[in-house]
């Protein structure tokens, strides 16, 4: 099975591209959604987060996400520790999920694919790129967040230019260039890769 990583910064339009993959019959693992689920259900994450920040981090068996966000807001060391707890569990969950898929390809959508090290699990990485100003506007409208809050989240992610150099394929989602032809082009390259691997 060919594993595809779909990444890009906040507001780049990853989810739109992922939905086009789903329509094309390629199952997509949404890492952000699954990490939220696992933060509530994984005994490993629960135990290690409590050891890190106290039992009151969980309320009625659910992670208090606001409290955790306030703790890591300006503490880069704590943020790295939290990520070090969550990312490996997400990686294992993805492997188990991928093993159950029956298609020739599957994908993972993750804004922090490179930061989490999960890019190493992928056979090919697709980056969705959009200008910072457009990403900022999209994220503010989508999340009802302030410009400062979105910029802070952006600044914690690997710069887009570095991701563009690391990715195998880049889709431009700037509101001008049509998305579908670019996705179709990627699918053609993917078909060649599948054929070459004899999947």
């Amino acid at each position: 099975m060919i594993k595809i990583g779909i990444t890009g910064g906040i507001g780049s339009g990853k989810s739109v591209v992922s939905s086009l993959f789903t329509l094309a019959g390629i199952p997509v693992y949404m890492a952000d959604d699954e990490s939220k689920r696992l933060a509530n259900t994984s005994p490993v994450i629960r135990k290690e987060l409590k050891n890190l920040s106290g039992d009151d981090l969980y309320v009625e068996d659910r992670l208090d996400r606001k409290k955790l966000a306030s703790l890591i807001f300006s503490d880069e060391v704590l943020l790295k520790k939290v990520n070090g707890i969550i990312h490996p569990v997400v990686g294992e969950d993805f492997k188990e999920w991928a093993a159950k898929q029956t298609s020739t390809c599957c994908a993972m959508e993750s804004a922090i694919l490179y930061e989490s090290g999960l890019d190493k699990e992928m056979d090919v990485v697709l980056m969705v790129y959009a200008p910072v100003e457009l990403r900022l506007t999209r994220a503010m409208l989508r999340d009802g967040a302030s410009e400062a809050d979105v910029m802070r989240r952006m600044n914690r992610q690997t710069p887009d230019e570095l991701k563009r150099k690391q990715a195998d394929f880049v889709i431009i989602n700037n509101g001008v260039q049509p998305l579908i032809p670019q996705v179709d082009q990627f699918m053609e390259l993917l078909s060649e890769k599948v054929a070459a691997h004899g999947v």
Side-chain angles (χ1 to χ4, degrees):
M1 176 182 284
I2 302 292
K3 298 183 181 73
I4 308 153
I6 302 171
T7 194
I10 297 163
S12 60
K14 296 180 300 299
S15 296
V16 175
V17 172
S18 293
S19 67
L20 293 172
F21 272 58
T22 303
L23 287 170
I26 298 175
V28 181
Y29 180 97
M30 308 296 283
D32 188 47
D33 293 342
E34 298 303 329
S35 68
K36 288 174 183 172
R37 173 183 63 81
L38 289 165
N40 290 325
T41 61
S42 165
V44 173
I45 292 177
R46 183 188 303 262
K47 180 183 177 185
E48 295 195 24
L49 285 184
K50 281 185 175 183
N51 287 344
L52 195 63
S53 299
D55 288 350
D56 59 350
L57 201 55
Y58 280 80
V59 179
E60 295 180 356
D61 286 339
R62 294 186 70 81
L63 175 65
D64 186 338
R65 300 187 64 80
K66 285 186 178 178
K67 176 161 188 174
L68 181 62
S70 70
L71 291 172
I72 63 177
F73 180 79
S74 57
D75 191 333
E76 291 293 327
V77 174
L78 183 61
L79 174 63
K80 285 181 181 177
K81 287 180 180 177
V82 169
N83 286 340
I85 291 168
I86 295 173
H87 293 161
V89 178
V90 173
E92 286 303 312
D93 191 66
F94 170 73
K95 286 181 189 175
E96 291 174 14
W97 173 86
K100 294 173 186 173
Q101 305 308 310
T102 56
S103 54
T104 55
C105 305
C106 70
M108 170 192 277
E109 179 197 310
S110 174
I112 53 171
L113 190 73
Y114 289 110
E115 295 89 335
S116 64
L118 292 171
D119 60 297
K120 296 175 181 65
E121 300 293 332
M122 306 301 150
D123 298 297
V124 59
V125 174
L126 164 69
M127 184 205 171
V128 184
Y129 174 84
V132 171
E133 300 79 14
L134 185 56
R135 289 171 49 209
L136 186 60
T137 302
R138 286 173 179 163
M140 287 169 66
L141 286 171
R142 182 192 66 199
D143 301 339
S146 68
E147 181 176 340
D149 184 48
V150 175
M151 285 302 298
R152 180 178 57 80
R153 287 157 59 198
M154 283 183 175
N155 291 335
R156 281 185 167 167
Q157 295 180 353
T158 300
D160 274 1
E161 294 311 316
L162 184 56
K163 286 181 181 175
R164 286 185 79 163
K165 289 176 184 175
Q166 292 175 306
D168 299 296
F169 193 92
V170 178
I171 283 180
I172 308 295
N173 184 26
N174 57 6
V176 177
Q177 293 172 253
L179 270 182
I180 292 176
Q182 296 182 76
V183 173
D184 286 345
Q185 186 184 357
F186 175 78
M187 293 298 181
E188 286 177 22
L189 293 172
L190 189 62
S191 295
E192 293 171 10
K193 194 173 184 71
V194 168
H197 279 69
V199 178

